[in-house]
Structures are given as C-alpha cells and as structure tokens.
Amino acid sequence: MDTVQIDQVRQFNRTVTERVGVLHDHYLGRDRPLGEARLLWEIGEEGQDVRQLRERLALDSGYVSRLLRSLEADGLVTVEPQPRDKRVRTIRLTDAGRAERAVLDGRSDELAGSLLEPLNRAQRARLAAAMAEVERLLTAATVTLDTVDPDHPDAQHCLRSYFAEIQERFETGFDPARSLLPDAGELRPPRGLFLVARLHGEPVGCAGLKLPPGAPAEIKRMWVAPRARGLGLGRRFLAELETQAAQQGRDVLRLDTNKTLTAAIGLYHSSGFQEVAAFNDEPYAHHWFEKRISTTPFG
C-alpha cells in the first residue's frame, strides 16, 4: 500500500471532520451528536427496519441501540416489533422527530452553503465534482464480494434480475431453456464457484466461474445492477475470477457474450481478453473471448 496515499487519505479525513463539525457533541448547533442526527435523517418518512439501518450504516448493534434509546427518550422516534415477527423492529419518526429532522435538513443546507460561499464559481464546480468523485470511489470501496451457493436467495435475486434485463435488451429476447446455462452444481466447489456483490448488505451483482476438468475455466452470468454501475465492479469481478482460476491451476480463462452488450465487450477487450473462434453452441452468443493467465496453484 502506498504510504503517500495513506497519508493523503488521513489528511483528507482530518480536514473534512473539522470543517463539517462532526467533532462537536452539538452537531449543527442542536442538542445531539452527529450519530443521532444521522439516524434521524436515515429513518426518513417511511421508517426503517433496525437491522437494515444498522447494515446500511455499518454500525455495531450495541451502538445503534444506545443511539435509539437516546432518541426515544427525547420523544423523537418509536421502536416497535413487527406484528408478524417480534424479532424484527421498525423505527419511525414521531411528529417531534420529523420537526427535528426538518431543522437538521435546513442547517445542513446552510453548512453546505458555507463551504461553497468563499469560493468563486469555477472553484465551486471543481469542489462539487471532486466530492462526487470521492463519494463514487468510497461507495466502490464498500462493495463486498462473497462466494455463495448459487441457490442462495441473493444469488437467485441477481440471476432473476440478470435474466429480466437481457430479456429486454437482446434482439431476440431471452429464453433460459434455449441457453447453455450451467446447472447449480457447476458453480459449486470443486466444479466452480459463484460470487455475489453486496452494497450496504444488498445484492448488486453476481458472477460465476466454471472449472470443468481438463478444460479452460469459464466465466458465466456476470451481471451488475444498474445502480452499482460505474463503480468498477465488472472489472473487479474479472480480476477475482481470474485469481480464483489461477489458484486452481488454470492457464486459460474464457467467456462468451451477446453483441448487444457493448459495454461488457469493451470491458473484456480492455482487460486483456482476445476474441477467438466459437468454442460452444450458445445460441445467444456472438462473441467468444479467451485470456491467458498465470497459474498459481495451491500447495
């Protein structure tokens, strides 16, 4: 890891925390710290499931409980178990909580304005663009990749979403019965694996790897949800699957794709894949790719 980059990140963190006032117990001049103020904003008008809120903010359950007890004591929220499952608790704003949230929103706008006001027009545009880029990269860094069973609910959610999208995008539509879909066993160790990407605990992408005996490794069913595109997740999937294939002693990685998926085709070219002759009879494929990789077998 580059120590200069680490130093720059730490300097950035110090500057931001000081400038936006998160070091104070009375955030935005109110009688609560940033943690409580942020919870009020995240709960929103519709309420939130406690577990989902905790995962969204990546907070310890004990810490969230302390924040909620404080907000409850101030009459700003209610926390109630759901009738059908007492283990699931829902947080909702009270009228006082909605009023407090409105005040915080107004003061947050004022704070944002105070950061921009001393700058000229060009500097404001640069700062806003830089903040958007930092947010995008930080979001990308929070995405996790996990190996799951292809029958896991998150895996099935991604596959259903993928099939629905290509049904709309392919000129001929998409019928799973016609495609050379791998069965679940081909995407389980030792014959393969299946990755799911999650953002704030929610599935946002998937990719499978087949490891057939005596044949090249093959990437199958790589998909990224529209809201997670632009985070470099497709390239990250390719890198991880290449690593996994190399660790299994494979020296060739291949895939096929449809001509409609132009962004994916560009990604494969830029990631070192070369177009080759068709190596299967996939009816929805127009392009076939291979990449030579360095093997790093276990042992």
Side-chain angles (χ1 to χ4, degrees), residues 43-99:
I43 292 167
E45 290 298 321
E46 302 301 321
Q48 283 284 335
D49 173 88
V50 174
R51 180 187 60 82
Q52 292 178 342
L53 182 64
R54 190 172 64 242
E55 290 181 353
R56 168 72 180 83
L57 299 177
L59 294 176
D60 174 78
S61 60
Y63 179 58
V64 171
S65 294
R66 291 193 295 274
L67 293 178
L68 290 177
R69 282 197 297 270
S70 179
L71 293 174
E72 275 190 294
D74 289 343
L76 302 179
V77 303
T78 60
V79 183
E80 300 175 349
Q82 291 187 4
R84 289 178 293 181
D85 188 344
K86 301 297 184 181
R87 298 170 299 177
V88 179
R89 297 181 300 153
T90 301
I91 322 164
R92 289 189 172 83
L93 298 177
T94 63
D95 289 343
R98 283 188 284 273

Side-chain angles (χ1 to χ4, degrees), residues 64-223:
V64 171
S65 294
R66 291 193 295 274
L67 293 178
L68 290 177
R69 282 197 297 270
S70 179
L71 293 174
E72 275 190 294
D74 289 343
L76 302 179
V77 303
T78 60
V79 183
E80 300 175 349
Q82 291 187 4
R84 289 178 293 181
D85 188 344
K86 301 297 184 181
R87 298 170 299 177
V88 179
R89 297 181 300 153
T90 301
I91 322 164
R92 289 189 172 83
L93 298 177
T94 63
D95 289 343
R98 283 188 284 273
E100 178 67 10
R101 186 175 186 272
V103 171
L104 289 169
D105 265 345
R107 295 199 178 185
S108 293
D109 286 345
E110 292 172 5
L111 175 59
S114 74
L115 297 176
L116 295 168
E117 194 277 331
L119 306 176
N120 61 41
R121 180 177 298 178
Q123 289 175 319
R124 292 173 186 173
R126 286 172 53 201
L127 178 59
M131 286 179 166
E133 178 69 358
V134 168
E135 180 188 11
R136 185 182 69 84
L137 292 173
L138 289 177
T139 299
T142 66
V143 176
T144 61
L145 294 187
D146 299 296
T147 300
V148 305
D149 190 275
D151 286 334
H152 187 283
D154 287 352
Q156 289 299 304
H157 166 81
C158 289
L159 289 172
R160 286 193 301 271
S161 300
Y162 170 63
F163 294 153
E165 179 172 344
I166 59 178
Q167 164 66 26
E168 293 294 323
R169 295 186 62 180
F170 286 5
E171 292 179 354
T172 59
F174 179 76
D175 179 2
R178 293 188 59 219
S179 180
L180 300 180
L181 290 172
D183 63 46
E186 292 179 286
L187 299 177
R188 293 189 181 109
R191 298 172 60 193
L193 61 90
F194 198 81
L195 297 176
V196 165
R198 296 183 177 96
L199 176 59
H200 306 309
E202 298 297 322
V204 293
C206 64
L209 182 69
K210 289 176 58 178
L211 296 166
E218 186 173 352
I219 294 173
K220 303 297 292 185
R221 306 310 174 217
M222 192 170 84
W223 172 79

Side-chain angles (χ1 to χ4, degrees), residues 11-50:
Q11 178 61 46
F12 176 83
N13 290 343
R14 289 192 294 271
T15 299
V16 170
T17 54
E18 176 184 352
R19 190 67 180 89
V20 303
V22 302
L23 303 178
H24 304 291
D25 286 338
H26 298 274
Y27 181 63
L28 295 176
R30 305 302 287 171
D31 292 331
R32 56 191 43 84
L34 173 62
E36 292 182 15
R38 180 61 186 273
L39 281 191
L40 287 175
W41 191 85
E42 290 288 345
I43 292 167
E45 290 298 321
E46 302 301 321
Q48 283 284 335
D49 173 88
V50 174

